[in-house]
Amino acid sequence: MVTAGAEQQRAQAGLLQRVEEVGLRGQRLLREALDRRTREDDFQIPDPGIVAGIFRQLAEALLADPARLARAELRFMEAMGELWQRHQRRLAGGEAEPLVVPEPGDRRFKDPAWTEEPAFDLVRQAYLLWAQQLEELVAGVGGLDPATAAKARFYTRQLVDLASPSNAPLTNPQVLREALDTEGESLLRGLEHLQADLERGRGRLRLSTVRRGAFRLGRDIATTAGQVVFRNELMELIQYAPSTPQVRRRPLLIVPPWINKYYILDMRPQNSLVRWLVGQGFTVFLVSWVNPGRELAGKGFEDYMVEGPLAAMAAIEQATGERELLLTGYCIGGTLSACLLAWLAARGDGRVRAASFLTTMLDFSEPGELGVFIDEEQLALIERHMRAKGYLEAEHMQRVFSLMRANDLIWSFVVNNYLMGREPPAFDLLHWNEDGTRMPEAMHRFYLRSMYQRNLLARPGGIELAGHAIDLGRVKLPAYFLSTREDHIAPWASTWRGSRLLGGSVRFVLAGSGHIAGVVNPAGSGKYGYWLNAGRPAGPEAWLAGARRHEGSWWPDWQAWLARHAGPPVPARDPAQGGLEPLMAAPGSYVTVAAEDEDAPFR
């Protein structure tokens, strides 16, 4: 008969054996990854050398004020002393209120053991105290110019997030329990996941955030019926099939961003904005951008305007016989749409009767944390890399966006995939987020330099496209401007300022949540809410202070606004019976090209 003690000893021996195996396999994997990386371009955003330089400047600024540094150290030691005393009271059976607690929404410490077990509670609070003190110290440092100070704060936060005890196997109670319960199998599975992600990244880690094979275009996502009715080098134009007997006379053209695939607006049936618009009686056309390779390196921002929405407008007139339309742009697609509208205004072309902008930057003077990556040194590195490749790979923009929400988009998956040994979730928005696109060299260089670095779009005549100076003040048509309150890519205060550059009436709407979830918030969901203010106060803070909050999705408000500008009902338009012969069924071919297809397989 095997005793409980013998069973426990055997379990412990099995765990130790598996831990040793994990260590040996991990060392071999690291050697292979380093060897593979030395044979490839080591370009990264952010560049490690630039980050190191920022920390050197930060260290020099801190050491230049030793008295302040000493006061901060003293405060930290006093706080740690108080924390230790409370920990001792708790060990003795007494009550001890926490000295510091996580911020609301911080999910790293949601496991009950972080508060119920005194040792883990001590580790958690010690980390939070250190993080709080360090970030306050860096935030108040003098002697740095504003741009460098912003970078120092950003990279300090990355360091703080990295150092969380939740990210280490020996200080995360959930990871330890899983390892014990599975006799180390969870750690072995985690290593296999790590190896697969290194292979997927050709020696550089490409963190998986969604379960492979969980979604397929045309089957689970991007399922709204339609036809590709036009194609050129840069885009396919999809006309969606009607679902109502009548539609509004003026078609609706949607210009999505080309940093990701269009189907963020046509996910599953229950959260597809495209399907919902079709059901509201609109003839919807949508641009599906190509995933460019090196052969399109010379395509510039002007080409995207001419071969994108401008070409789509001509195709829509051929397909429907309708010259006038409504235009909607999302993110950088909205920036491009605004440029097109100013270009049309310079020519006296009034085909667009109303325009909508979803989380769109027009004034880049305060771009939020994306500004951390925009300076001459970093731009020069990006341009040198793009000259060699012909494009910027999708992974670099994905990494930048992930760093801006590192705990949610990086470290939670490190813990889940590698430390817990679990598969990532099957989540449609994360599938889309991983399905990135490349940026052609000429276009991306113009966009970064002209918009983010020099903010030329905000200046009348600051840029010229296709022979006309671009002045947003000449755009006199009605505009609907949707921003989201927690947007880390297009900060809402900046989008509000950009909306004031337009010369016509603007309905500015602020939705809850962020850049994606705040936009893809189906009618009837009851989530997030939105704010409206009919006035035109002097600043975004004053606008919000006077705004009224409404429950639920902003979609019905937008639909009512669109309907006022869409013209009377006409018989529904079948793409197969229009003036353009369909080329293939939606979702088309351009959207199926994966970001990795340009490069040779990793072996």
Side-chain angles (χ1 to χ4, degrees):
M1 180 176 179
V2 180
T3 65
E7 283 284 357
Q8 184 177 15
Q9 289 179 356
R10 190 170 68 179
Q12 290 175 345
L15 174 61
L16 290 174
Q17 181 180 357
R18 286 168 171 78
V19 167
E20 182 180 2
E21 183 179 350
V22 165
L24 292 173
R25 291 176 63 182
Q27 292 175 19
R28 184 170 65 252
L29 177 60
L30 180 60
R31 286 195 301 270
E32 292 174 355
L34 291 174
D35 179 62
R36 288 161 176 166
R37 288 305 316 152
T38 59
R39 299 196 298 266
E40 297 187 19
D41 179 10
D42 204 31
F43 170 77
Q44 297 181 58
I45 304 177
D47 180 76
I50 291 177
V51 176
I54 294 297
F55 278 122
R56 281 195 299 270
Q57 294 181 65
L58 174 61
E60 291 169 359
L62 290 171
L63 291 173
D65 190 355
R68 181 174 177 274
L69 196 57
R71 288 193 299 270
E73 183 178 1
L74 180 61
R75 285 195 301 272
F76 178 63
M77 295 306 296
E78 289 174 345
M80 288 299 293
E82 174 64 21
L83 175 62
W84 182 253
Q85 290 179 18
R86 296 188 185 199
H87 176 64
Q88 292 299 313
R89 283 201 300 271
R90 186 174 179 187
L91 289 179
E95 294 293 327
E97 288 294 319
L99 188 59
V100 61
V101 295
E103 293 288 335
D106 188 343
R107 295 178 291 180
R108 294 175 294 177
F109 305 106
K110 65 180 181 180
D111 189 275
W114 287 110
T115 53
E116 295 173 0
E117 296 290 337
F120 288 114
D121 184 38
L122 176 65
V123 169
R124 177 187 66 129
Q125 290 195 62
Y127 163 74
L128 292 172
L129 281 173
W130 169 78
Q132 183 182 82
Q133 295 278 351
L134 180 59
E135 291 188 296
E136 289 178 359
L137 178 65
V138 172
V141 69
L144 297 176
D145 63 82
T148 303
K151 294 172 187 174
R153 292 191 298 272
F154 179 83
Y155 291 123
T156 297
R157 195 181 81 222
Q158 303 306 314
L159 175 64
V160 165
D161 292 344
L162 165 65
S164 173
S166 59
N167 298 332
L170 296 181
T171 51
N172 185 322
Q174 191 178 14
V175 172
L176 289 173
R177 274 200 313 274
E178 189 78 6
L180 287 169
D181 291 345
T182 64
E183 297 186 358
E185 290 291 345
S186 59
L187 297 175
L188 290 175
R189 290 196 302 267
L191 182 63
E192 292 170 354
H193 295 163
L194 176 62
Q195 184 175 26
D197 286 350
L198 282 167
E199 291 174 346
R200 193 165 68 95
R202 298 176 176 85
R204 180 179 292 162
L205 183 64
R206 290 199 62 193
L207 179 63
S208 294
T209 60
V210 68
R211 190 171 304 163
R212 299 289 158 199
F215 300 97
R216 192 171 71 192
L217 288 170
R219 181 195 69 184
D220 312 292
I221 50 180
T223 61
T224 303
Q227 295 287 331
V228 174
V229 296
F230 177 80
R231 179 188 294 126
N232 59 27
E233 281 191 312
L234 284 181
M235 65 96 175
E236 291 180 331
L237 182 65
I238 300 172
Q239 179 181 356
Y240 288 95
S243 61
T244 56
Q246 290 186 315
V247 295
R248 295 287 183 162
R249 179 170 65 86
R250 292 175 181 143
L252 173 63
L253 169 62
I254 301 177
V255 184
W258 54 87
I259 293 175
N260 287 90
K261 307 289 182 67
Y262 84 82
Y263 63 85
I264 185 61
L265 299 175
D266 185 28
M267 299 296 284
R268 292 168 295 128
Q270 57 266 40
N271 64 351
S272 167
L273 179 58
V274 166
R275 183 182 293 263
W276 184 80
L277 287 168
V278 169
Q280 301 303 305
F282 293 97
T283 301
V284 178
F285 289 82
L286 188 144
V287 169
S288 174
W289 298 104
V290 73
N291 194 354
R294 67 183 77 245
E295 74 282 355
L296 297 179
K299 292 291 186 180
F301 195 84
E302 177 180 295
D303 297 307
Y304 269 74
M305 183 187 79
V306 173
E307 299 179 42
L310 187 60
M313 288 171 61
I316 290 170
E317 185 175 358
Q318 286 184 271
T320 65
E322 179 59 46
R323 181 170 175 79
E324 295 181 344
L325 51 75
L326 309 179
L327 180 64
T328 294
Y330 185 7
C331 188
I332 189 176
T335 307
L336 182 71
S337 296
C339 291
L340 172 63
L341 292 171
W343 186 87
L344 292 171
R347 296 168 58 89
D349 188 329
R351 283 179 286 170
V352 179
R353 305 304 297 170
S356 303
F357 302 91
L358 313 182
T359 61
T360 294
M361 295 277 286
L362 301 180
D363 183 335
F364 291 78
S365 58
E366 296 182 28
E369 289 188 333
L370 278 176
V372 167
F373 305 96
I374 307 296
D375 58 43
E376 186 58 39
E377 186 178 11
Q378 292 183 98
L379 290 179
L381 289 174
I382 293 171
E383 289 172 350
R384 184 176 67 186
H385 177 74
M386 290 194 300
R387 279 195 300 272
K389 300 283 290 188
Y391 53 82
L392 184 69
E393 301 93 328
E395 66 183 86
H396 299 298
M397 296 302 298
Q398 290 168 336
R399 184 181 303 113
V400 166
F401 295 145
S402 294
L403 284 172
M404 295 166 71
R405 291 178 53 202
N407 284 328
D408 291 334
L409 296 178
I410 297 177
W411 297 114
S412 66
F413 294 102
V414 168
V415 173
N416 180 81
N417 301 2
Y418 306 150
L419 303 187
M420 300 290 291
R422 296 175 178 173
E423 293 289 336
F427 187 24
D428 57 352
L429 293 183
L430 291 175
H431 172 90
W432 168 85
N433 191 55
E434 277 204 3
D435 191 15
T437 55
R438 299 178 285 270
M439 302 290 106
E441 177 196 357
M443 183 285 301
H444 206 52
R445 182 177 65 247
F446 177 90
Y447 180 59
L448 293 177
R449 292 284 187 181
S450 299
M451 309 299 184
Y452 275 98
Q453 187 186 40
R454 302 174 66 190
N455 196 26
L456 295 180
L457 183 57
R459 305 179 195 174
I463 62 175
E464 181 178 306
L465 296 172
H468 291 279
I470 300 302
D471 180 356
L472 296 181
R474 299 185 66 175
V475 180
K476 305 294 186 181
L477 48 77
Y480 189 100
F481 226 95
L482 184 279
S483 297
T484 55
R485 194 166 184 178
E486 299 169 22
D487 198 330
H488 62 293
I489 296 172
W492 85 264
S494 294
T495 62
W496 184 89
R497 280 186 285 271
S499 73
R500 294 175 68 89
L501 298 174
L502 302 175
S505 63
V506 175
R507 182 175 180 83
F508 188 87
V509 180
L510 181 63
S513 195
H515 192 74
I516 302 302
V519 174
V520 186
N521 181 24
S525 70
K527 295 167 61 177
Y528 307 139
Y530 61 96
W531 289 261
L532 289 171
N533 184 345
R536 295 278 286 177
E541 295 80 9
W543 183 93
L544 183 58
R548 178 185 173 190
R549 188 180 189 278
H550 300 259
E551 296 298 326
S553 170
W554 61 276
W555 288 12
D557 181 78
W558 185 41
Q559 184 273 335
W561 183 90
L562 286 172
R564 292 198 294 272
H565 302 286
V570 298
R573 303 174 174 110
D574 182 349
Q577 304 300 320
L580 291 175
E581 183 177 350
L583 304 177
M584 64 184 305
S589 61
Y590 282 0
V591 72
T592 63
V593 179
E596 304 88 37
D597 283 358
E598 178 70 11
D599 298 307
F602 175 65
R603 301 187 186 281

